[in-house]
Amino acid sequence: MTTRKILVTSALPYANGDIHLGHLMETIQTDIWVRLQKMQGHDCVYVCADDAHGTAIMLSAEKRGITAEQLIAEVQANHERDFAGFHIGFDNYYSTHSDENRELSEAIFKKLDANGHIARRNISQLFDPEKKLFLADRYITGSCPKCQAPGQYGDNCEACGSTYSPAELIDPRSVISGATPIEKESEHLFFRLPEFRDMLREWTRSGTLQEQVANKLAEWLDDDLQEWDISRDAPYFGFEIPGAPGKYFYVWLDAPIGYMASFANYCQRSGKDFDAYWRVDSDAEVYHFIGKDIINFHTLFWPAMLSSAGYRTPTAVYTHGFLTVDGTKMSKSRGTFVNASTYLEHLDPEYLRYYLAAKLSASIDDLDLNLEDFAQRVNSDLVGKVVNIASRCAGFISKGFASKLASTPDNIALLTEMQAARAEIAAFYEQREYGKAVRLIMALADKANQYINDKEPWVIAKQDKQSAELQAICSTGINAFRLLMIYLKPVLPAMAEKAEQFLSVAPLMWQDLEQLLSDHTINKFTPLMTRVEMDKVKAMINQTQQAYESKQQSAATEASAPAEDQTGFEPTIEFADFAKVDLRLARIISAEHVDGADKLLRLSLDLGKDKQGADIVRTVLSGIKSAYEPQQLIGKLTVVVANLAPRKMKFGTSEGMILAAGPGGKDIWLLEPHEGAEPGLRVT
């Protein structure tokens, strides 16, 4: 077999957030493909990097009081830890904020410019006059110009679906400072993408893309392609554009170049020839694995830029759909937007690797992680079928035959049939039809288990623990298990390593499918995988949900606490604002501790009667636990903000806010029963 020279990449995770299950679906898909190539003896290199530039990273670092460099270094360490936890075998994981990426980005830009593919012209944008920053669409909110829905971002309305320009928003506000944006002109640099229409039409139909993707691109290519704005104004965290002071490369220009930069860094360490992979006449293969939300960057802008700059284009761009959980979009509030680190606290990473592999295909359709099915399939397939074969046979070999396999297995025909599937399974992996590969592997596991059931080695062992027939039957089972583990090794590298230790063999390669173990001594069997416990799955979801609620509560608290001015008081408000506050006298009719809360008490308040004569009772969570035991509060009077919107907190919903006086701590004073009037009285 001819050795292939292959470079593989996954999309770059943004250096402003955690790795979550959506990222993992892509890197697991890529990693399985790469591991197959390496098992087959091909020269395959897998590189990735953090996407480390942009306004969002600059603002996040500023908010935390650290430099952008400190932020991206911290995030990269976390990303590498999480990917390693899921056995993602990068040959190089890097950052787009690197010397290699700066040099390549500048060199490619200069080639684009020299070739006449860069245009310069002034454009008008919304500008934050307080922050001194041009605002991207997501940093502007206001009311939709079509349906007047409030709180919409600067490019489209989530309420009515309309699209518009940020300048059309009603009462626009900067998300960053709250200031009203102004329009301001600035010179920008553009990549002349329309000049590559013919080249892109040919390239996108050359077999480099899935048909669904090529069809979608054909729609875009038939419309008027727009020139691509590749510049951003200072302040911006990124690379300054040569010859354009105060202008920076837009993050999406240097992000795909980051693939090349990460590989260049690997070449420096490994001695590989960078140009041998990226020159136009290269015989190497280059593959990108990406999500369907970034198709345009990878299949229009990127190949056009490479073409202009004199580099080869990708052999293929493999696009996948989104990951849903229990049939719906991943949700933080429902606890299904699970971070990699949270998953690893509760579950074996290879559960997820296997489940995703069992459902992945070469299409761009979304993949659903059904949590009940997740547990059942892993338990049934891996524990109940594959591991079961080894566990049923190993003990008999160990006890009766000094751990030595027979020279001739009992059922050569079964093992030959399993070996004969190697070309079909390899083809399914190569074509990214992992689900089909897994189904075929499990069908073989079923046959092996049925063989053991039919032979009943446990019955033979009761009669003669050293029967040659028993040894041959169990040797067939152990060989079947070994073949299955070779097939599953791209998916389950950690389990395969445990199996190699049990089998006492060198790291398994694809060519090892051609031989069987004969007169071979194995090691003592130890459990290779435990069952998925639904309690742990639920604990993972609950932890994710609680973390989200806690973050929302902290954000709400922070938002409701504006900075003091120089007098020590809160910023001034207008009388009309104060007049909206409805203050009512209330009597505390019950009080109790809140489980898990250090400062809160749950109060039931009597606010008198409504217009129909019904009692008005409100539940309020109040941070006065330091001053009172619950029983001390019953009967006391307090003033409550009666028209405050209910607020969902970590420990329940609070339907108002009570007012009290005092310096805090143990000194918080409420009214005694004789000091006030009837509940419901308005306080003015």
PDB file of all heavy atoms in Angstrom, residues 138-149:
ATOM      1  N   ARG A 138     -22.924  42.862  16.725  1.00  0.00           N
ATOM      2  CA  ARG A 138     -23.343  42.233  17.990  1.00  0.00           C
ATOM      3  C   ARG A 138     -23.117  43.123  19.197  1.00  0.00           C
ATOM      4  O   ARG A 138     -23.538  42.787  20.299  1.00  0.00           O
ATOM      5  CB  ARG A 138     -22.593  40.906  18.183  1.00  0.00           C
ATOM      6  CG  ARG A 138     -21.086  41.041  18.251  1.00  0.00           C
ATOM      7  CD  ARG A 138     -20.462  39.691  18.517  1.00  0.00           C
ATOM      8  NE  ARG A 138     -19.033  39.705  18.239  1.00  0.00           N
ATOM      9  CZ  ARG A 138     -18.183  38.810  18.708  1.00  0.00           C
ATOM     10  NH1 ARG A 138     -18.626  37.849  19.470  1.00  0.00           N
ATOM     11  NH2 ARG A 138     -16.903  38.869  18.416  1.00  0.00           N
ATOM     12  N   TYR A 139     -22.436  44.237  18.988  1.00  0.00           N
ATOM     13  CA  TYR A 139     -22.218  45.170  20.094  1.00  0.00           C
ATOM     14  C   TYR A 139     -23.187  46.350  20.058  1.00  0.00           C
ATOM     15  O   TYR A 139     -22.978  47.353  20.728  1.00  0.00           O
ATOM     16  CB  TYR A 139     -20.771  45.672  20.096  1.00  0.00           C
ATOM     17  CG  TYR A 139     -19.779  44.570  20.422  1.00  0.00           C
ATOM     18  CD1 TYR A 139     -18.806  44.195  19.507  1.00  0.00           C
ATOM     19  CD2 TYR A 139     -19.844  43.904  21.640  1.00  0.00           C
ATOM     20  CE1 TYR A 139     -17.904  43.175  19.794  1.00  0.00           C
ATOM     21  CE2 TYR A 139     -18.943  42.887  21.937  1.00  0.00           C
ATOM     22  CZ  TYR A 139     -17.982  42.529  21.014  1.00  0.00           C
ATOM     23  OH  TYR A 139     -17.108  41.518  21.314  1.00  0.00           O
ATOM     24  N   ILE A 140     -24.240  46.213  19.257  1.00  0.00           N
ATOM     25  CA  ILE A 140     -25.253  47.266  19.158  1.00  0.00           C
ATOM     26  C   ILE A 140     -26.627  46.635  19.382  1.00  0.00           C
ATOM     27  O   ILE A 140     -26.945  45.597  18.790  1.00  0.00           O
ATOM     28  CB  ILE A 140     -25.239  47.934  17.767  1.00  0.00           C
ATOM     29  CG1 ILE A 140     -23.830  48.425  17.413  1.00  0.00           C
ATOM     30  CG2 ILE A 140     -26.239  49.091  17.711  1.00  0.00           C
ATOM     31  CD1 ILE A 140     -23.659  48.749  15.941  1.00  0.00           C
ATOM     32  N   THR A 141     -27.425  47.223  20.238  1.00  0.00           N
ATOM     33  CA  THR A 141     -28.801  46.762  20.423  1.00  0.00           C
ATOM     34  C   THR A 141     -29.750  47.949  20.329  1.00  0.00           C
ATOM     35  O   THR A 141     -29.357  49.096  20.525  1.00  0.00           O
ATOM     36  CB  THR A 141     -29.015  46.063  21.785  1.00  0.00           C
ATOM     37  OG1 THR A 141     -28.736  46.987  22.836  1.00  0.00           O
ATOM     38  CG2 THR A 141     -28.137  44.848  21.924  1.00  0.00           C
ATOM     39  N   GLY A 142     -30.990  47.631  20.048  1.00  0.00           N
ATOM     40  CA  GLY A 142     -32.030  48.645  19.969  1.00  0.00           C
ATOM     41  C   GLY A 142     -33.336  47.973  19.611  1.00  0.00           C
ATOM     42  O   GLY A 142     -33.454  46.748  19.645  1.00  0.00           O
ATOM     43  N   SER A 143     -34.324  48.771  19.242  1.00  0.00           N
ATOM     44  CA  SER A 143     -35.619  48.213  18.847  1.00  0.00           C
ATOM     45  C   SER A 143     -35.637  47.974  17.347  1.00  0.00           C
ATOM     46  O   SER A 143     -35.105  48.766  16.562  1.00  0.00           O
ATOM     47  CB  SER A 143     -36.750  49.175  19.233  1.00  0.00           C
ATOM     48  OG  SER A 143     -36.818  49.320  20.643  1.00  0.00           O
ATOM     49  N   CYS A 144     -36.251  46.855  16.965  1.00  0.00           N
ATOM     50  CA  CYS A 144     -36.334  46.468  15.554  1.00  0.00           C
ATOM     51  C   CYS A 144     -37.058  47.548  14.755  1.00  0.00           C
ATOM     52  O   CYS A 144     -38.140  48.001  15.147  1.00  0.00           O
ATOM     53  CB  CYS A 144     -37.065  45.136  15.435  1.00  0.00           C
ATOM     54  SG  CYS A 144     -37.456  44.661  13.739  1.00  0.00           S
ATOM     55  N   PRO A 145     -36.506  47.981  13.621  1.00  0.00           N
ATOM     56  CA  PRO A 145     -37.178  49.003  12.813  1.00  0.00           C
ATOM     57  C   PRO A 145     -38.450  48.488  12.131  1.00  0.00           C
ATOM     58  O   PRO A 145     -39.257  49.284  11.652  1.00  0.00           O
ATOM     59  CB  PRO A 145     -36.112  49.374  11.773  1.00  0.00           C
ATOM     60  CG  PRO A 145     -35.224  48.180  11.687  1.00  0.00           C
ATOM     61  CD  PRO A 145     -35.192  47.585  13.053  1.00  0.00           C
ATOM     62  N   LYS A 146     -38.644  47.171  12.094  1.00  0.00           N
ATOM     63  CA  LYS A 146     -39.811  46.601  11.433  1.00  0.00           C
ATOM     64  C   LYS A 146     -40.951  46.326  12.417  1.00  0.00           C
ATOM     65  O   LYS A 146     -42.092  46.719  12.180  1.00  0.00           O
ATOM     66  CB  LYS A 146     -39.420  45.301  10.711  1.00  0.00           C
ATOM     67  CG  LYS A 146     -38.223  45.448   9.773  1.00  0.00           C
ATOM     68  CD  LYS A 146     -38.533  46.293   8.563  1.00  0.00           C
ATOM     69  CE  LYS A 146     -37.283  46.551   7.731  1.00  0.00           C
ATOM     70  NZ  LYS A 146     -36.673  45.354   7.180  1.00  0.00           N
ATOM     71  N   CYS A 147     -40.637  45.645  13.541  1.00  0.00           N
ATOM     72  CA  CYS A 147     -41.708  45.255  14.473  1.00  0.00           C
ATOM     73  C   CYS A 147     -41.604  45.960  15.822  1.00  0.00           C
ATOM     74  O   CYS A 147     -42.426  45.721  16.703  1.00  0.00           O
ATOM     75  CB  CYS A 147     -41.707  43.740  14.680  1.00  0.00           C
ATOM     76  SG  CYS A 147     -40.342  43.117  15.676  1.00  0.00           S
ATOM     77  N   GLN A 148     -40.564  46.785  15.994  1.00  0.00           N
ATOM     78  CA  GLN A 148     -40.348  47.564  17.212  1.00  0.00           C
ATOM     79  C   GLN A 148     -40.028  46.708  18.443  1.00  0.00           C
ATOM     80  O   GLN A 148     -40.088  47.194  19.573  1.00  0.00           O
ATOM     81  CB  GLN A 148     -41.551  48.471  17.548  1.00  0.00           C
ATOM     82  CG  GLN A 148     -41.675  49.698  16.664  1.00  0.00           C
ATOM     83  CD  GLN A 148     -42.170  49.376  15.284  1.00  0.00           C
ATOM     84  OE1 GLN A 148     -43.203  48.726  15.136  1.00  0.00           O
ATOM     85  NE2 GLN A 148     -41.448  49.822  14.256  1.00  0.00           N
ATOM     86  N   ALA A 149     -39.696  45.437  18.263  1.00  0.00           N
ATOM     87  CA  ALA A 149     -39.318  44.603  19.405  1.00  0.00           C
ATOM     88  C   ALA A 149     -38.032  45.151  20.020  1.00  0.00           C
ATOM     89  O   ALA A 149     -37.058  45.403  19.303  1.00  0.00           O
ATOM     90  CB  ALA A 149     -39.117  43.163  18.956  1.00  0.00           C
TER      91      ALA A 149
END
